[in-house]
Amino acid sequence: IDSFAGYWNFSRQYILTRIPSDTDFGYHKKIFVAGKRIDLELIKSQLQNLTQLKILVCGSKDFNQTIVNILQDLNISQELIYVFE
């Protein structure tokens, strides 16, 4: 995924949870450490242009379903969401 980030039409945002928000990975702004569980407000704060996204979700089945539900609540089309299981 990082290798694609050099292209003008691709960006990525990693969001880590359950890690203290002051953790420094030395990875600049590529990682956002939430320090809490991902919720609707956190996703809204991290997504800038909801109409030009393709979203990859990766986690447990429960996590994936929760995130997909949140994204659908934000009116993001199912065809723009890819769940990696």
Coordinates of all heavy atoms in Angstrom, one line a residue:
I1 N 0.8 -1.2 0.0 CA 0.0 0.0 0.0 C 0.9 1.3 0.0 O 0.6 2.2 -0.7 CB -1.0 0.0 1.2 CG1 -2.0 -1.1 1.0 CG2 -1.7 1.3 1.3 CD1 -3.0 -1.3 2.2
D2 N 1.9 1.2 0.8 CA 2.8 2.4 0.8 C 3.4 2.8 -0.5 O 3.6 3.9 -0.8 CB 3.9 2.3 1.9 CG 3.4 2.5 3.3 OD1 2.4 3.1 3.5 OD2 4.1 2.0 4.2
S3 N 3.7 1.7 -1.3 CA 4.3 2.0 -2.6 C 3.4 2.8 -3.6 O 3.8 3.5 -4.4 CB 4.8 0.7 -3.3 OG 3.7 -0.1 -3.5
F4 N 2.1 2.6 -3.4 CA 1.1 3.3 -4.2 C 1.0 4.8 -3.8 O 0.5 5.6 -4.6 CB -0.3 2.7 -4.1 CG -0.4 1.4 -4.9 CD1 -0.5 0.2 -4.2 CD2 -0.4 1.3 -6.2 CE1 -0.6 -1.0 -4.8 CE2 -0.5 0.2 -6.9 CZ -0.6 -1.0 -6.2
A5 N 1.4 5.1 -2.6 CA 1.2 6.5 -2.1 C 2.0 7.5 -2.8 O 1.8 8.7 -2.7 CB 1.6 6.5 -0.6
G6 N 3.0 7.1 -3.6 CA 3.8 8.1 -4.4 C 3.0 8.6 -5.6 O 3.4 9.6 -6.2
Y7 N 1.9 8.0 -5.9 CA 1.1 8.4 -7.1 C 0.2 9.6 -6.7 O -0.3 9.6 -5.6 CB 0.3 7.2 -7.7 CG 1.1 6.2 -8.3 CD1 1.5 5.0 -7.6 CD2 1.6 6.3 -9.6 CE1 2.3 4.1 -8.1 CE2 2.5 5.4 -10.1 CZ 2.8 4.2 -9.4 OH 3.6 3.3 -9.9
W8 N -0.1 10.5 -7.6 CA -0.9 11.7 -7.3 C -2.3 11.3 -7.0 O -3.0 12.1 -6.2 CB -0.9 12.6 -8.5 CG -1.6 12.0 -9.8 CD1 -1.0 11.2 -10.7 CD2 -2.9 12.1 -10.1 NE1 -1.9 10.9 -11.7 CE2 -3.1 11.4 -11.3 CE3 -4.0 12.7 -9.5 CZ2 -4.3 11.3 -11.9 CZ3 -5.3 12.6 -10.2 CH2 -5.4 11.9 -11.4
N9 N -2.9 10.2 -7.4 CA -4.3 9.9 -7.2 C -4.5 8.8 -6.1 O -5.5 8.2 -6.1 CB -4.9 9.5 -8.5 CG -4.3 8.2 -9.1 OD1 -3.2 7.8 -8.7 ND2 -5.0 7.6 -10.0
F10 N -3.5 8.7 -5.3 CA -3.6 7.6 -4.2 C -3.1 8.2 -2.9 O -2.0 8.8 -2.8 CB -2.8 6.4 -4.6 CG -3.0 5.2 -3.6 CD1 -4.0 4.3 -3.8 CD2 -2.1 5.1 -2.5 CE1 -4.1 3.3 -2.9 CE2 -2.3 4.1 -1.6 CZ -3.3 3.1 -1.8
S11 N -3.8 7.9 -1.9 CA -3.3 8.3 -0.5 C -3.9 7.2 0.4 O -4.8 6.4 0.1 CB -3.8 9.6 -0.1 OG -5.2 9.7 0.1
R12 N -3.3 7.1 1.6 CA -3.7 6.1 2.6 C -3.6 6.7 4.0 O -2.9 7.6 4.2 CB -3.0 4.8 2.4 CG -1.6 4.6 2.8 CD -0.7 5.5 3.3 NE 0.7 5.5 3.0 CZ 1.3 6.7 2.8 NH1 0.6 7.8 2.7 NH2 2.5 6.7 2.7
Q13 N -4.4 6.2 4.9 CA -4.4 6.6 6.2 C -4.6 5.4 7.1 O -5.5 4.6 7.0 CB -5.6 7.6 6.5 CG -5.7 8.0 8.0 CD -4.5 9.0 8.3 OE1 -4.1 9.8 7.6 NE2 -4.0 8.8 9.5
Y14 N -3.6 5.1 7.9 CA -3.6 4.0 8.9 C -4.2 4.5 10.2 O -3.7 5.6 10.6 CB -2.3 3.3 9.1 CG -1.6 2.8 7.9 CD1 -0.5 3.4 7.3 CD2 -2.1 1.7 7.2 CE1 0.1 2.9 6.2 CE2 -1.5 1.2 6.1 CZ -0.3 1.8 5.6 OH 0.3 1.3 4.5
I15 N -5.1 3.8 10.8 CA -5.6 4.3 12.1 C -5.4 3.1 13.0 O -5.9 2.0 12.8 CB -7.1 4.6 12.0 CG1 -7.3 5.8 11.0 CG2 -7.6 5.0 13.4 CD1 -8.8 6.1 10.8
L16 N -4.7 3.4 14.1 CA -4.4 2.4 15.1 C -5.2 2.7 16.4 O -5.3 3.9 16.7 CB -2.9 2.3 15.5 CG -2.0 2.0 14.3 CD1 -0.5 2.1 14.8 CD2 -2.3 0.7 13.7
T17 N -5.7 1.7 17.0 CA -6.5 1.9 18.2 C -5.8 1.1 19.4 O -4.9 0.3 19.2 CB -7.9 1.4 18.1 OG1 -7.9 0.0 17.8 CG2 -8.6 2.2 17.0
R18 N -6.3 1.4 20.6 CA -5.8 0.7 21.8 C -4.3 0.9 22.0 O -3.7 0.0 22.6 CB -6.2 -0.8 21.7 CG -7.7 -1.0 21.7 CD -8.0 -2.4 21.8 NE -9.5 -2.6 21.6 CZ -10.1 -3.7 21.7 NH1 -9.4 -4.8 22.0 NH2 -11.4 -3.8 21.6
I19 N -3.8 1.9 21.5 CA -2.4 2.3 21.7 C -2.4 3.7 22.2 O -3.2 4.5 21.7 CB -1.6 2.2 20.4 CG1 -1.5 0.8 19.9 CG2 -0.2 2.8 20.6 CD1 -0.9 0.6 18.5
P20 N -1.6 4.1 23.2 CA -1.7 5.5 23.7 C -1.4 6.5 22.5 O -0.6 6.2 21.7 CB -0.5 5.5 24.7 CG -0.3 4.1 25.1 CD -0.7 3.2 24.0
S21 N -2.2 7.5 22.5 CA -2.2 8.5 21.4 C -0.8 9.2 21.3 O -0.6 9.9 20.3 CB -3.3 9.5 21.5 OG -3.3 10.2 22.7
D22 N 0.0 9.2 22.3 CA 1.3 9.9 22.2 C 2.4 8.9 21.8 O 3.6 9.3 21.8 CB 1.7 10.5 23.6 CG 1.8 9.5 24.7 OD1 1.4 8.3 24.5 OD2 2.2 9.9 25.8
T23 N 2.1 7.7 21.3 CA 3.1 6.8 20.8 C 3.7 7.3 19.5 O 3.0 7.8 18.6 CB 2.4 5.4 20.5 OG1 1.8 4.9 21.7 CG2 3.4 4.4 20.0
D24 N 5.0 7.3 19.4 CA 5.7 7.7 18.2 C 6.3 6.6 17.5 O 7.1 5.8 18.0 CB 6.8 8.7 18.6 CG 7.6 9.3 17.4 OD1 7.1 9.1 16.3 OD2 8.7 9.9 17.6
F25 N 5.8 6.4 16.3 CA 6.3 5.3 15.4 C 7.4 5.7 14.5 O 8.0 4.9 13.8 CB 5.2 4.7 14.6 CG 4.2 3.9 15.4 CD1 3.1 4.6 15.9 CD2 4.4 2.6 15.8 CE1 2.2 3.9 16.7 CE2 3.5 1.9 16.6 CZ 2.4 2.6 17.0
G26 N 7.8 7.0 14.5 CA 8.8 7.5 13.6 C 8.4 7.4 12.1 O 9.2 7.2 11.2
Y27 N 7.1 7.4 11.9 CA 6.6 7.1 10.6 C 5.8 8.3 10.0 O 4.9 8.2 9.2 CB 5.6 5.9 10.7 CG 5.4 5.1 9.4 CD1 6.5 4.6 8.7 CD2 4.2 4.8 9.0 CE1 6.3 3.9 7.6 CE2 4.0 4.0 7.9 CZ 5.1 3.6 7.2 OH 4.9 2.8 6.0
H28 N 6.1 9.5 10.5 CA 5.5 10.8 10.2 C 4.0 10.7 10.3 O 3.5 10.2 11.2 CB 6.0 11.2 8.8 CG 7.5 11.2 8.6 ND1 8.2 12.2 9.3 CD2 8.3 10.4 8.0 CE1 9.5 11.9 9.0 NE2 9.6 10.9 8.3
K29 N 3.3 11.3 9.3 CA 1.8 11.4 9.4 C 1.1 10.2 8.7 O -0.1 10.3 8.5 CB 1.4 12.7 8.9 CG 1.9 13.9 9.7 CD 1.4 15.2 9.1 CE 1.9 16.3 9.9 NZ 1.5 17.6 9.4
K30 N 1.8 9.2 8.4 CA 1.2 8.1 7.7 C 0.3 7.2 8.7 O -0.6 6.5 8.3 CB 2.2 7.2 7.1 CG 3.0 7.8 6.0 CD 4.1 6.9 5.5 CE 5.0 7.7 4.5 NZ 6.1 6.9 4.1
I31 N 0.6 7.3 10.0 CA -0.2 6.6 11.0 C -0.9 7.6 11.9 O -0.3 8.5 12.5 CB 0.7 5.7 11.8 CG1 1.3 4.6 10.9 CG2 -0.1 5.0 12.9 CD1 2.3 3.7 11.6
F32 N -2.2 7.4 12.1 CA -3.0 8.2 13.0 C -3.2 7.2 14.2 O -3.9 6.2 14.1 CB -4.3 8.7 12.4 CG -5.1 9.4 13.4 CD1 -4.9 10.7 13.8 CD2 -6.2 8.7 14.0 CE1 -5.6 11.3 14.7 CE2 -7.0 9.4 14.9 CZ -6.7 10.7 15.3
V33 N -2.7 7.6 15.4 CA -3.0 6.8 16.6 C -4.2 7.4 17.3 O -4.1 8.5 17.9 CB -1.7 6.7 17.5 CG1 -2.0 5.9 18.7 CG2 -0.5 6.2 16.7
A34 N -5.3 6.7 17.3 CA -6.5 7.2 17.8 C -6.5 7.2 19.4 O -7.0 8.0 20.0 CB -7.7 6.4 17.3
G35 N -5.9 6.1 19.9 CA -5.9 6.0 21.4 C -7.3 5.6 21.9 O -7.5 5.6 23.1
K36 N -8.2 5.3 21.0 CA -9.6 4.8 21.4 C -10.1 4.0 20.3 O -9.5 3.9 19.2 CB -10.5 6.0 21.7 CG -10.8 6.9 20.4 CD -11.8 7.9 20.7 CE -12.2 8.6 19.4 NZ -13.4 9.4 19.5
R37 N -11.3 3.4 20.5 CA -11.9 2.6 19.5 C -12.4 3.5 18.3 O -12.7 4.7 18.5 CB -13.1 1.8 20.1 CG -12.7 0.8 21.1 CD -13.8 -0.1 21.6 NE -14.4 -0.9 20.6 CZ -14.0 -2.0 20.1 NH1 -12.9 -2.5 20.6 NH2 -14.6 -2.7 19.2
I38 N -12.4 3.0 17.2 CA -12.9 3.7 16.0 C -14.4 3.8 16.1 O -15.1 2.9 16.3 CB -12.5 3.0 14.7 CG1 -10.9 2.9 14.6 CG2 -13.1 3.7 13.5 CD1 -10.4 2.1 13.5
D39 N -14.9 5.1 15.9 CA -16.3 5.3 15.9 C -16.6 6.3 14.7 O -15.7 6.7 14.0 CB -16.8 5.9 17.2 CG -16.1 7.2 17.6 OD1 -15.4 7.8 16.8 OD2 -16.2 7.5 18.8
L40 N -17.9 6.6 14.6 CA -18.3 7.5 13.5 C -17.6 8.8 13.5 O -17.2 9.3 12.5 CB -19.9 7.7 13.6 CG -20.4 8.5 12.5 CD1 -21.5 7.7 11.7 CD2 -21.0 9.8 13.0
E41 N -17.5 9.5 14.7 CA -16.8 10.8 14.7 C -15.4 10.7 14.3 O -14.9 11.6 13.6 CB -17.0 11.4 16.1 CG -18.4 11.8 16.5 CD -19.0 12.7 15.4 OE1 -18.4 13.7 15.0 OE2 -20.2 12.5 15.0
L42 N -14.7 9.7 14.7 CA -13.3 9.5 14.4 C -13.1 9.3 12.9 O -12.3 9.9 12.2 CB -12.7 8.3 15.1 CG -11.2 8.0 14.8 CD1 -10.3 9.1 15.1 CD2 -10.8 6.7 15.4
I43 N -14.0 8.5 12.3 CA -13.9 8.3 10.8 C -14.2 9.6 10.1 O -13.5 9.9 9.1 CB -14.9 7.1 10.4 CG1 -14.3 5.8 10.9 CG2 -15.0 7.1 8.9 CD1 -15.2 4.6 10.6
K44 N -15.3 10.3 10.5 CA -15.6 11.6 9.9 C -14.4 12.6 10.0 O -14.1 13.3 9.0 CB -16.8 12.2 10.5 CG -18.1 11.6 10.0 CD -19.3 12.1 10.7 CE -19.4 13.6 10.8 NZ -20.7 14.0 11.5
S45 N -13.7 12.5 11.1 CA -12.6 13.5 11.2 C -11.4 13.1 10.3 O -10.6 14.0 10.0 CB -12.1 13.5 12.7 OG -11.4 12.4 13.0
Q46 N -11.3 11.9 9.9 CA -10.1 11.4 9.1 C -10.4 11.4 7.6 O -9.5 11.4 6.8 CB -9.7 10.0 9.6 CG -9.1 10.0 11.0 CD -7.9 10.9 11.1 OE1 -7.0 10.8 10.3 NE2 -8.0 11.9 12.0
L47 N -11.7 11.3 7.2 CA -12.0 11.3 5.8 C -12.4 12.7 5.3 O -13.2 13.3 5.9 CB -13.2 10.3 5.6 CG -13.0 8.9 6.0 CD1 -14.3 8.1 5.8 CD2 -11.9 8.3 5.3
Q48 N -11.7 13.1 4.2 CA -11.9 14.4 3.8 C -12.9 14.5 2.6 O -13.8 15.3 2.6 CB -10.6 15.1 3.3 CG -9.7 15.4 4.5 CD -8.3 14.9 4.5 OE1 -7.9 14.4 3.4 NE2 -7.6 14.9 5.5
N49 N -12.7 13.7 1.6 CA -13.6 13.8 0.4 C -14.3 12.4 0.3 O -13.8 11.5 -0.3 CB -12.8 14.1 -0.8 CG -13.7 14.4 -2.0 OD1 -14.9 14.1 -2.0 ND2 -13.2 15.0 -3.0
L50 N -15.5 12.4 0.9 CA -16.2 11.1 0.9 C -16.7 10.6 -0.5 O -17.1 9.4 -0.6 CB -17.4 11.2 1.8 CG -17.1 11.6 3.3 CD1 -18.4 11.7 4.1 CD2 -16.2 10.5 3.9
T51 N -16.7 11.4 -1.5 CA -17.1 11.0 -2.8 C -16.0 10.4 -3.6 O -16.3 9.8 -4.7 CB -17.8 12.2 -3.5 OG1 -16.8 13.2 -3.8 CG2 -18.9 12.8 -2.8
Q52 N -14.8 10.5 -3.2 CA -13.7 10.0 -4.1 C -12.8 9.0 -3.3 O -11.6 9.0 -3.4 CB -12.8 11.2 -4.5 CG -13.5 12.1 -5.4 CD -12.6 13.3 -5.9 OE1 -11.5 13.4 -5.4 NE2 -13.1 14.0 -6.9
L53 N -13.5 8.1 -2.6 CA -12.8 7.2 -1.7 C -13.0 5.7 -2.2 O -14.1 5.4 -2.7 CB -13.3 7.3 -0.3 CG -13.0 8.5 0.5 CD1 -13.6 8.4 1.8 CD2 -11.5 8.7 0.6
K54 N -12.1 4.9 -1.9 CA -12.2 3.5 -1.9 C -11.6 3.1 -0.6 O -10.5 3.5 -0.3 CB -11.5 2.8 -3.1 CG -12.3 3.1 -4.4 CD -11.7 2.2 -5.5 CE -12.5 2.6 -6.7 NZ -12.0 1.9 -7.9
I55 N -12.3 2.4 0.2 CA -11.9 2.1 1.6 C -11.7 0.6 1.8 O -12.5 -0.2 1.5 CB -13.0 2.6 2.6 CG1 -13.2 4.1 2.4 CG2 -12.6 2.3 4.0 CD1 -14.3 4.7 3.2
L56 N -10.5 0.3 2.4 CA -10.1 -1.0 2.7 C -10.3 -1.2 4.2 O -9.7 -0.4 5.0 CB -8.7 -1.3 2.3 CG -8.1 -2.6 2.8 CD1 -8.8 -3.8 2.2 CD2 -6.6 -2.7 2.6
V57 N -11.1 -2.2 4.6 CA -11.3 -2.5 6.0 C -10.7 -3.8 6.4 O -10.9 -4.8 5.6 CB -12.8 -2.5 6.4 CG1 -13.1 -2.8 7.8 CG2 -13.5 -1.2 5.9
C58 N -9.9 -3.9 7.4 CA -9.2 -5.1 7.8 C -9.3 -5.3 9.3 O -8.8 -4.5 10.0 CB -7.8 -5.1 7.3 SG -6.9 -6.6 7.7
G59 N -9.8 -6.4 9.7 CA -9.9 -6.7 11.2 C -10.7 -8.0 11.4 O -11.0 -8.7 10.5
S60 N -11.2 -8.1 12.6 CA -12.0 -9.3 12.9 C -13.4 -9.1 12.2 O -13.7 -8.0 11.7 CB -12.2 -9.4 14.4 OG -13.0 -8.3 14.9
K61 N -14.2 -10.2 12.2 CA -15.5 -10.1 11.5 C -16.4 -9.1 12.2 O -17.0 -8.3 11.5 CB -16.2 -11.5 11.5 CG -15.5 -12.4 10.5 CD -16.3 -13.7 10.5 CE -15.5 -14.7 9.5 NZ -16.3 -15.9 9.3
D62 N -16.4 -9.0 13.5 CA -17.2 -8.0 14.2 C -16.7 -6.6 13.9 O -17.5 -5.7 13.7 CB -17.1 -8.3 15.7 CG -17.9 -9.5 16.1 OD1 -18.8 -9.9 15.4 OD2 -17.7 -10.0 17.2
F63 N -15.4 -6.4 13.9 CA -14.8 -5.1 13.6 C -15.2 -4.7 12.2 O -15.7 -3.5 12.0 CB -13.3 -5.1 13.8 CG -12.6 -3.8 13.3 CD1 -12.6 -2.8 14.2 CD2 -12.1 -3.8 12.1 CE1 -12.0 -1.6 13.7 CE2 -11.5 -2.6 11.6 CZ -11.4 -1.5 12.5
N64 N -15.0 -5.6 11.3 CA -15.3 -5.2 9.9 C -16.7 -4.8 9.7 O -17.0 -3.8 9.0 CB -15.0 -6.4 9.0 CG -13.5 -6.7 8.8 OD1 -12.7 -5.9 9.2 ND2 -13.2 -7.8 8.3
Q65 N -17.7 -5.6 10.3 CA -19.1 -5.2 10.2 C -19.4 -3.9 10.9 O -20.2 -3.1 10.3 CB -20.0 -6.4 10.8 CG -21.4 -6.2 10.5 CD -21.7 -6.1 9.0 OE1 -21.3 -7.0 8.2 NE2 -22.3 -5.0 8.6
T66 N -18.8 -3.6 12.0 CA -19.0 -2.4 12.7 C -18.6 -1.2 11.8 O -19.3 -0.2 11.6 CB -18.3 -2.3 14.0 OG1 -18.8 -3.3 14.9 CG2 -18.4 -1.0 14.7
I67 N -17.4 -1.3 11.2 CA -16.8 -0.2 10.4 C -17.7 -0.1 9.1 O -18.0 1.0 8.7 CB -15.4 -0.5 10.0 CG1 -14.5 -0.5 11.3 CG2 -14.9 0.6 9.0 CD1 -14.6 0.7 12.2
V68 N -18.1 -1.2 8.5 CA -19.0 -1.1 7.3 C -20.3 -0.4 7.6 O -20.7 0.5 6.9 CB -19.2 -2.5 6.7 CG1 -20.3 -2.5 5.7 CG2 -17.9 -3.0 6.1
N69 N -20.8 -0.7 8.8 CA -22.1 0.0 9.2 C -21.9 1.5 9.4 O -22.7 2.3 9.0 CB -22.6 -0.6 10.5 CG -23.1 -2.0 10.3 OD1 -23.4 -2.5 9.2 ND2 -23.3 -2.8 11.4
I70 N -20.7 1.8 10.0 CA -20.4 3.3 10.2 C -20.3 4.0 8.8 O -20.8 5.0 8.6 CB -19.2 3.5 11.0 CG1 -19.4 3.1 12.5 CG2 -18.7 4.9 10.9 CD1 -18.2 3.0 13.3
L71 N -19.6 3.3 7.9 CA -19.4 3.9 6.6 C -20.7 4.0 5.8 O -20.9 5.0 5.1 CB -18.4 3.0 5.8 CG -16.9 3.0 6.3 CD1 -16.1 2.0 5.6 CD2 -16.3 4.4 6.3
Q72 N -21.6 3.1 6.0 CA -22.9 3.2 5.3 C -23.7 4.3 6.0 O -24.4 5.0 5.3 CB -23.6 1.8 5.4 CG -23.0 0.8 4.5 CD -23.6 -0.6 4.6 OE1 -24.1 -0.9 5.6 NE2 -23.4 -1.4 3.6
D73 N -23.5 4.5 7.3 CA -24.2 5.6 8.0 C -23.7 7.0 7.4 O -24.4 7.9 7.4 CB -24.0 5.6 9.5 CG -24.7 4.5 10.2 OD1 -25.7 3.9 9.5 OD2 -24.4 4.2 11.3
L74 N -22.5 7.0 6.9 CA -21.9 8.2 6.3 C -22.3 8.3 4.8 O -21.7 9.1 4.0 CB -20.4 8.2 6.4 CG -19.9 8.4 7.9 CD1 -18.4 8.2 8.0 CD2 -20.3 9.8 8.3
N75 N -23.2 7.4 4.3 CA -23.6 7.3 2.9 C -22.5 7.0 1.9 O -22.6 7.5 0.8 CB -24.3 8.6 2.5 CG -25.6 8.8 3.3 OD1 -26.4 7.9 3.5 ND2 -25.8 10.0 3.8
I76 N -21.6 6.2 2.4 CA -20.6 5.7 1.5 C -21.1 4.4 0.9 O -21.5 3.5 1.5 CB -19.2 5.5 2.2 CG1 -18.7 6.8 2.7 CG2 -18.2 4.8 1.3 CD1 -17.5 6.7 3.6
S77 N -21.1 4.4 -0.5 CA -21.6 3.2 -1.2 C -20.8 2.0 -0.9 O -19.6 2.0 -0.8 CB -21.5 3.5 -2.7 OG -21.8 2.4 -3.5
Q78 N -21.6 0.9 -0.8 CA -21.0 -0.4 -0.6 C -19.9 -0.8 -1.6 O -18.9 -1.4 -1.3 CB -22.1 -1.5 -0.5 CG -21.6 -2.9 -0.3 CD -21.1 -3.1 1.2 OE1 -21.6 -2.6 2.1 NE2 -20.0 -3.8 1.3
E79 N -20.1 -0.3 -2.8 CA -19.1 -0.6 -3.9 C -17.8 0.1 -3.7 O -16.8 -0.3 -4.3 CB -19.7 -0.3 -5.3 CG -20.0 1.1 -5.5 CD -20.8 1.4 -6.7 OE1 -21.6 0.5 -7.1 OE2 -20.6 2.4 -7.3
L80 N -17.7 1.0 -2.8 CA -16.4 1.7 -2.5 C -15.7 1.2 -1.3 O -14.7 1.6 -0.9 CB -16.7 3.2 -2.3 CG -17.3 4.0 -3.4 CD1 -17.6 5.4 -3.1 CD2 -16.4 3.9 -4.6
I81 N -16.4 0.1 -0.7 CA -15.8 -0.5 0.6 C -15.3 -1.9 0.2 O -16.1 -2.7 -0.2 CB -16.9 -0.5 1.7 CG1 -17.5 0.9 2.0 CG2 -16.3 -1.2 2.9 CD1 -18.7 0.9 2.8
Y82 N -14.1 -2.1 0.5 CA -13.5 -3.5 0.3 C -13.1 -4.0 1.7 O -12.4 -3.4 2.4 CB -12.3 -3.4 -0.6 CG -11.7 -4.8 -0.7 CD1 -12.2 -5.7 -1.6 CD2 -10.6 -5.2 0.0 CE1 -11.7 -7.0 -1.7 CE2 -10.0 -6.5 -0.1 CZ -10.6 -7.4 -1.0 OH -10.1 -8.6 -1.1
V83 N -13.7 -5.2 2.0 CA -13.4 -5.8 3.3 C -12.4 -6.9 3.1 O -12.7 -7.9 2.4 CB -14.7 -6.3 4.0 CG1 -14.4 -7.0 5.3 CG2 -15.7 -5.2 4.2
F84 N -11.3 -6.8 3.8 CA -10.2 -7.8 3.7 C -10.3 -8.7 4.9 O -10.2 -8.3 6.0 CB -8.8 -7.0 3.7 CG -7.7 -8.0 3.5 CD1 -7.3 -8.4 2.2 CD2 -6.9 -8.4 4.5 CE1 -6.3 -9.2 2.0 CE2 -5.8 -9.2 4.3 CZ -5.5 -9.6 3.1
E85 N -10.7 -9.9 4.6 CA -10.9 -10.9 5.7 C -9.8 -11.9 5.7 O -9.2 -12.3 4.8 CB -12.2 -11.6 5.5 CG -13.4 -10.6 5.5 CD -14.7 -11.3 5.3 OE1 -14.9 -12.5 5.7 OE2 -15.6 -10.6 4.9

